[in-house]
């Protein structure tokens, strides 16, 4: 619904991805310099200027397939490799974590604080690289410029857009189950106690006024929760106490990342139905977007002085193999393979269009969106 | 005291939109109709008193240009003097159907011409007053449609200007008195309320500012506006003058739905804090002041409520929908 949502979705999911990769790199005892290189490469790709420029353009959220493909590429932006099963698990964890954060934000506007929490942590990963740090701070500035002045109503729209994107996702995450923030049916716990959002009054009071505006009566009522006033507001500055813990790193050496794939919600059937309405994953618009983004992402071949390595999101290789075999059908992510399209008819159509139009930048509402894509595909 | 009744299963979960439940009571046939938005589709179903689902239908937003299927923003039954129409609003336009959703009688495409690239275009906010149906839009404009007693000759009669930001909800006076000075209220994303007098030409009676906090849901009862806000407050105003009568710190999160049982003056408020509250509105005979009493609070555990409605005119039962929940929860008093 809101056309301003994509940057927030991308940056927060990216932040979660980095938390998980960081934890797994340490758990798997990858040498510190290699681990640092991986994170630096990924962060540098994520915050690439052209990339960010594309991201911040007003647009609808793209499909889950398209987004998943972007993260697939991002995870492979360095010398690290992930098998399909590990990539699936990584994506499951990222999405459930951000869904949790959005759902539990006290105010819709707090999703910006969650984003800042992620960015603060990302800055921590790349302290030794001033150039990348500069990119991250520029993005911070972009966020402040674009979102700092938005109304509560606009943030409510953004929140709804994000929740619509995450609708029907109920993957159970071990760390959430252990911390009792997720129930065994996959739904998140919504606490009815604690501080109210900044700007909200503790519920329980009815105030009656005269026509002149004078308060004549105050009546208390039992509202059912156990709320207290909010202590202070989180900072939206470049540096500051965000107050909110959502979006900070919840993983550590001693808290491994696991997901339970069984007992997936039956509502997934209806979710996949939604996706099937636009069955061809090669929809021009999405390809366009992806191609532009991936123009900046080169897959590094694991050869030369820095040999690559494989990261496993599971504790053992056997577990990873097992996970790949037992993943429920409805939860498989189809990654869009731009280079190896089997759809001959579409190829012919693209080739025809390629011949007819010249390459130029088109604004969003334009009719011939295929042009930019075709220009990029020339280079593939 | 309320007890939980058997829930009614839905084909798809409820979308996290405000006012995401419409109920049409048909006491003559001992039926209740429910309408819930899932996303690109909305589900209508009818149920017997015990909650046994009898028939269901899915409606989709009319397609148009664009990448993905358009999302529906709201579905709502409009009870007019001679007919009942089902109205569906989406990111493309406004669809009106016969009450069972079987036949589309009217389609109005939204004009996105004035929208800046950063603005989402959609219709939202549906209510009927007399033989008019009012529908709100993303720009703040309220479209007024003139509905004939039967047939598809629906005409866009007026476009009301009063709001600068997206309309969230519209409410109309349930009791249609002859000289009703203020019988329509529209609300928007900045919390502004506009009170109107309906007619061949609608007249703006008063405006009640919102100070930036969105007003997702609004109701109108015997000259009193009841408004629910994004900061969990419910406020009651005098419709004709905009004077604030009552302020309730009702919820700990944004309110998503309000409903009225007009015969008994009961108000229902539901919010993202998982709570549903029932209030009794009354007018003090001596002072003429509107008073409010809290009747009941119900917690729907771990559910971000997105829709709530009374299911009978006496307000002794209500239904609730929640984000990610594929069923309609029902409660009735014991």
């Amino acid at each position: 619904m809101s056309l301003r949502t994509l940057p927030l979705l991308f940056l927060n999911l990216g932040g979660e991805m980095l938390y998980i990769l960081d934890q797994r790199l340490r758990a798997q005892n990858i040498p510190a310099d290699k681990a640092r290189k991986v994170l630096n490469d990924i962060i540098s790709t994520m915050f690439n200027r052209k990339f960010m420029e594309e991201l911040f353009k007003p647009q609808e959220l793209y499909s889950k397939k398209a987004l998943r493909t972007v993260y697939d590429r991002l995870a492979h932006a360095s010398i690290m490799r992930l098998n399909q099963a590990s990539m699936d698990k990584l994506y499951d964890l990222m999405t459930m974590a951000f869904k949790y954060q959005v759902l539990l934000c006290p105010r819709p506007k707090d999703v910006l604080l969650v984003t800042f929490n992620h960015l603060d942590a990302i800055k921590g990963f790349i302290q030794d690289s001033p150039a990348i740090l500069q990119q991250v701070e520029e993005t911070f500035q972009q966020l402040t410029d674009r979102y700092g002045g938005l109304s509560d109503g606009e943030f409510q729209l953004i929140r709804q857009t994000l929740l619509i994107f995450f609708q029907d996702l109920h993957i159970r995450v071990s760390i959430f189950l252990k911390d009792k923030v997720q129930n065994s049916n996959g739904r998140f716990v919504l606490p009815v106690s604690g501080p109210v959002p900044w700007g909200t009054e503790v519920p329980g009071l009815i105030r009656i006024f005269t026509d002149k505006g004078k308060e004549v009566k105050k009546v208390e009522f039992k509202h059912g929760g156990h709320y207290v006033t909010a202590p202070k507001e989180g900072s939206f500055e470049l540096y500051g106490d965000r107050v909110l813990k959502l979006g900070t790193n919840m993983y550590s050496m001693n808290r491994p990342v696991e997901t339970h794939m069984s007992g997936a919600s039956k509502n997934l059937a209806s979710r996949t139905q939604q996706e099937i309405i636009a069955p061809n994953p090669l929809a021009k618009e999405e390809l366009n977007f992806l191609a532009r983004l991936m123009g900046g992402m080169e897959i590094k071949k694991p050869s030369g002085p820095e040999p690559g390595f494989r990261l496993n999101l599971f504790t053992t290789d056997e577990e990873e193999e097992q996970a790949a075999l037992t993943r429920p059908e409805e939860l498989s992510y189809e990654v869009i393979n731009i280079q190896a399209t089997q759809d001959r008819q579409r190829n012919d159509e693209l080739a025809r269009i390629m011949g007819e139009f010249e390459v130029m930048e088109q604004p969003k509402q334009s009719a011939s969106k295929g042009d930019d894509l075709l220009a990029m595909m020339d280079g593939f | 005291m309320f007890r939980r009744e058997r829930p009614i299963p839905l084909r798809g979960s409820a979308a996290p939109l405000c006012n995401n439940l419409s109920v049409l009571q048909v006491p003559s046939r001992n039926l209740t109709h429910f309408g819930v938005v899932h996303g690109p589709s909305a589900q209508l179903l009818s149920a017997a008193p015990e909650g046994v689902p009898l028939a269901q239908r899915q409606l989709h937003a009319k397609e148009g240009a664009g990448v993905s299927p358009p999302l529906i923003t709201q579905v709502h039954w409009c009870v007019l003097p001679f007919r009942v129409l089902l109205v569906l609003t989406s990111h493309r336009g406004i669809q009106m159907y016969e009450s069972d959703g079987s036949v589309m009688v009217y389609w109005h495409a939204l004009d996105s011409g004035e929208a800046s690239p950063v603005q989402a275009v959609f219709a939202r906010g549906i209510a009927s007053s007399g033989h008019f149906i009012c529908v709100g839009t993303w720009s703040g404009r309220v479209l007024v449609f003139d509905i004939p007693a039967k047939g598809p000759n629906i005409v866009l009669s007026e476009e009301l200007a009063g709001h600068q930001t997206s309309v969230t909800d519209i409410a109309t006076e349930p009791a249609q008195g002859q000289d009703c000075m203020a019988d329509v209220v529209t609300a928007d994303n900045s919390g502004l309320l506009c009170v109107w007098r309906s007619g061949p030409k609608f007249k703006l009676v008063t405006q009640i500012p919102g100070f930036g906090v969105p007003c997702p849901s609004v109701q109108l009862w015997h000259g009193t506006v009841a408004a629910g806000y994004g900061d969990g407050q419910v406020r009651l105003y005098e419709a004709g003058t905009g004077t604030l009568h009552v302020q309730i710190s009702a919820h700990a999160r944004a309110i998503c739905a309000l409903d009225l049982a007009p015969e008994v003056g009961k108000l229902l408020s539901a919010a993202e804090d998982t709570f549903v509250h029932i209030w009794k509105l009354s007018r003090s005979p001596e002072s003429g002041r509107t008073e409010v009493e809290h009747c009941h609070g119900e917690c729907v555990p771990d559910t971000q409520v997105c829709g709530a409605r009374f299911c009978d005119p006496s307000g002794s039962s209500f239904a609730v929908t929640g984000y990610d929940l594929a069923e309609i929860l029902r409660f009735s008093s014991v």
Side-chain angles (χ1 to χ4, degrees):
Chain A
M1 287 182 60
S2 168
L3 303 177
R4 296 175 160 106
T5 318
L6 192 59
L8 298 177
L9 182 62
F10 176 77
L11 290 170
N12 284 293
L13 286 180
E16 286 301 314
M17 181 172 92
L18 290 164
Y19 290 162
I20 299 162
L21 291 179
D22 171 62
Q23 196 274 336
R24 289 310 298 163
L25 287 166
R26 283 188 275 127
Q28 215 168 296
N29 291 313
I30 302 294
D33 58 330
K34 275 215 174 105
R36 194 167 41 243
K37 175 165 174 53
V38 168
L39 294 180
N40 277 11
D41 286 348
I42 292 176
I43 294 169
S44 160
T45 309
M46 238 177 102
F47 289 86
N48 171 276
R49 267 180 202 91
K50 281 218 87 185
F51 203 104
M52 280 294 137
E53 214 177 276
E54 274 308 315
L55 206 66
F56 275 85
K57 287 189 181 149
Q59 58 199 304
E60 279 179 31
L61 285 186
Y62 280 88
S63 70
K64 293 182 175 59
K65 283 197 194 90
L67 204 64
R68 164 61 204 261
T69 306
V70 171
Y71 287 108
D72 216 81
R73 287 286 193 125
L74 198 57
H76 289 96
S78 187
I79 55 176
M80 179 186 74
R81 289 279 148 277
L82 287 167
N83 281 348
Q84 174 85 331
S86 279
M87 189 64 220
D88 285 345
K89 179 171 165 179
L90 176 63
Y91 196 69
D92 287 344
L93 290 170
M94 284 159 55
T95 43
M96 286 309 287
F98 189 43
K99 177 175 183 174
Y100 167 69
Q101 289 153 18
V102 174
L103 204 52
L104 264 86
C105 269
R107 301 171 300 179
K109 177 176 189 167
D110 289 337
V111 75
L112 199 53
L113 288 177
V114 173
T115 316
F116 290 164
N117 272 334
H118 281 116
L119 289 190
D120 290 343
I122 288 172
K123 288 201 282 190
F125 288 135
I126 42 138
Q127 268 165 11
D128 315 317
S129 316
I132 312 175
L133 191 60
Q134 169 79 348
Q135 285 172 257
V136 177
E137 290 191 343
E138 273 172 27
T139 303
F140 204 111
Q141 190 57 52
Q142 274 252 57
L143 284 169
T144 310
D145 291 345
R146 301 298 184 106
Y147 296 93
L150 283 189
S151 66
D152 287 355
E154 258 303 321
F155 274 113
Q156 173 66 319
L157 218 60
I158 287 170
R159 177 189 159 83
Q160 284 177 342
T161 310
L162 286 169
L163 289 178
I164 288 169
F165 184 82
F166 291 125
Q167 201 170 332
D168 298 326
L169 221 55
H170 298 299
I171 298 161
R172 286 144 56 211
V173 177
S174 269
I175 207 173
F176 287 144
L177 295 169
K178 275 198 199 102
D179 288 351
K180 303 236 187 304
V181 302
Q182 190 179 27
N183 293 322
S184 54
N185 62 6
R187 280 158 214 287
F188 289 117
V189 172
L190 300 180
V192 294
S193 58
V196 286
W198 185 260
T200 294
E201 287 182 16
V202 174
L205 201 59
I206 303 173
R207 295 160 70 195
I208 302 187
F209 300 87
T210 63
D211 285 349
K212 307 285 182 290
K214 188 157 112 52
E215 188 181 302
V216 285
K217 202 153 89 170
K218 231 185 206 154
V219 181
E220 282 186 16
F221 71 92
K222 201 143 178 21
H223 59 88
H226 299 278
Y227 296 103
V228 295
T229 6
K232 66 179 189 176
E233 189 180 15
S235 161
F236 289 87
E237 304 296 317
L238 182 58
Y239 297 99
D241 178 10
R242 311 291 175 205
V243 179
L244 199 64
K245 292 287 163 270
L246 297 169
T248 55
N249 196 346
M250 61 179 164
Y251 303 104
S252 70
M253 267 306 286
N254 304 321
R255 285 147 72 85
V257 293
E258 290 161 35
T259 52
H260 293 282
M261 301 289 20
S262 60
S265 166
K266 66 170 157 65
N267 290 323
L268 276 160
S270 61
R271 180 166 74 92
T272 16
Q273 189 62 33
Q274 261 193 58
E275 303 267 315
I276 286 164
I277 289 168
N280 192 341
L282 300 179
K284 261 199 218 137
E285 303 281 336
E286 291 184 352
L287 271 184
N288 210 350
F289 170 65
L290 281 180
R292 283 207 286 260
L293 288 187
M294 274 175 247
M297 291 177 179
E298 284 167 29
I299 295 186
K300 297 231 170 36
K301 308 264 182 291
S303 62
E306 277 301 357
F309 63 93
R310 192 173 62 78
L311 191 74
N312 190 347
L313 267 274
F314 300 84
T315 356
T316 63
D317 286 349
E318 290 71 38
E319 244 192 77
E320 190 186 45
E321 271 168 43
Q322 190 57 27
L325 292 169
T326 57
R327 189 175 181 87
E329 188 55 46
E330 59 274 14
L331 289 174
S332 62
Y333 298 105
E334 286 163 47
V335 172
I336 300 173
N337 192 343
I338 295 182
Q339 282 128 321
T341 172
Q342 308 292 309
D343 195 331
R344 205 175 164 253
Q345 195 181 23
R346 189 146 273 266
N347 262 341
D348 288 356
E349 192 190 89
L350 287 177
R352 179 187 65 81
I353 297 167
M354 204 188 230
E356 285 179 8
F357 292 101
E358 55 177 281
V359 174
M360 49 189 178
E361 269 300 313
Q362 295 282 1
K364 185 178 188 285
Q365 268 79 17
S366 161
S368 48
K369 289 288 287 170
D371 314 307
D372 311 27
L373 162 69
L374 303 172
M376 300 223 82
M377 285 186 81
D378 264 335
F380 276 24
Chain B
M1 271 306 299
F2 279 78
R3 66 152 188 268
R4 273 225 198 183
E5 302 285 3
R6 189 162 74 173
I8 306 174
L10 289 169
R11 284 274 176 92
S13 60
L17 304 164
C18 295
N19 306 307
N20 191 7
L21 176 63
S22 182
V23 168
L24 179 69
Q25 302 164 24
V26 193
S28 57
R29 294 176 56 203
N30 219 8
L31 280 180
T32 311
H33 297 301
F34 298 88
V36 181
V37 177
H38 167 64
S41 66
Q43 187 178 358
L44 306 178
L45 57 92
S46 52
E50 322 79 55
V52 176
L54 299 172
Q56 79 91 38
R57 171 175 268 129
Q58 286 199 305
L59 298 177
H60 290 87
K62 215 161 121 82
E63 298 276 340
V67 173
S68 41
L71 294 176
I72 298 175
T73 52
Q74 197 176 1
V75 74
H76 190 66
W77 274 284
C78 288
V79 178
L80 302 143
F82 297 104
R83 70 199 291 195
V84 176
L85 287 182
L86 177 77
V87 180
L88 188 151
T89 50
S90 76
H91 282 251
R92 296 281 180 273
I94 301 159
Q95 291 152 247
M96 298 194 193
Y97 296 81
E98 295 297 357
S99 69
D100 62 355
S102 58
V103 178
M104 194 190 309
V105 296
Y106 184 71
W107 156 248
H108 175 94
L110 287 173
D111 176 16
S112 61
E114 289 162 23
S116 76
V118 111
Q119 271 174 311
V121 169
F122 55 87
R124 182 178 59 183
I126 307 165
S128 60
S129 177
H131 59 92
F132 295 109
I133 287 182
C134 303
V135 181
T137 65
W138 56 276
S139 62
R141 286 265 178 87
V142 176
L143 306 177
V144 181
F145 297 93
D146 198 333
I147 316 291
K150 62 177 188 221
N153 280 345
I154 293 167
V155 170
L156 174 63
S157 115
E158 213 183 334
E159 287 193 32
L160 308 177
H163 293 280
Q164 308 298 317
T165 64
S166 310
V167 172
T168 48
D169 195 20
I170 306 178
T172 56
E173 187 68 72
Q176 297 293 315
Q178 237 84 342
D179 33 307
C180 202
M181 288 305 299
D183 59 349
V184 178
V185 60
T186 53
D188 75 19
N189 242 358
S190 72
L192 174 69
L193 300 169
C194 290
V195 184
W196 312 82
R197 182 186 186 172
S198 68
K201 196 121 176 71
F202 275 52
K203 182 169 173 292
L204 180 65
V205 172
T206 188
Q207 288 187 309
I208 306 170
F211 310 111
V213 180
C215 175
S217 204
V218 72
Q219 290 288 333
L220 189 53
W221 182 73
H222 294 169
T224 299
V225 172
Y229 294 88
D231 59 2
Q233 295 230 326
V234 171
R235 294 206 277 268
L236 304 185
Y237 304 91
E238 169 88 47
T241 59
T243 316
L244 175 70
H245 280 288
V246 183
Q247 187 168 308
I248 314 174
S249 305
H251 291 275
R253 293 284 188 279
I255 287 173
C256 60
L258 290 181
D259 197 29
L260 207 55
E263 286 175 24
V264 294
K266 282 225 181 110
L267 179 74
L268 184 101
S269 67
E272 292 182 3
D273 64 355
T274 77
F275 281 92
V276 176
H277 287 296
I278 299 181
W279 316 86
K280 178 88 171 60
L281 271 54
S282 56
R283 259 232 154 84
S284 155
E286 315 93 44
S287 60
R289 250 193 335 254
T290 313
E291 305 239 324
V292 176
E293 197 190 303
H294 180 251
C295 299
H296 179 74
E298 190 75 40
C299 174
V300 189
D302 302 330
T303 304
Q304 184 183 277
V305 179
C306 52
R309 295 276 177 193
F310 282 118
C311 291
D312 70 277
S314 64
S316 59
S317 62
F318 61 93
V320 168
T321 55
Y323 166 60
D324 261 355
L325 214 58
E327 52 189 17
I328 301 174
L329 303 175
R330 294 160 60 239
F331 300 84
S332 58
S333 62
V334 289

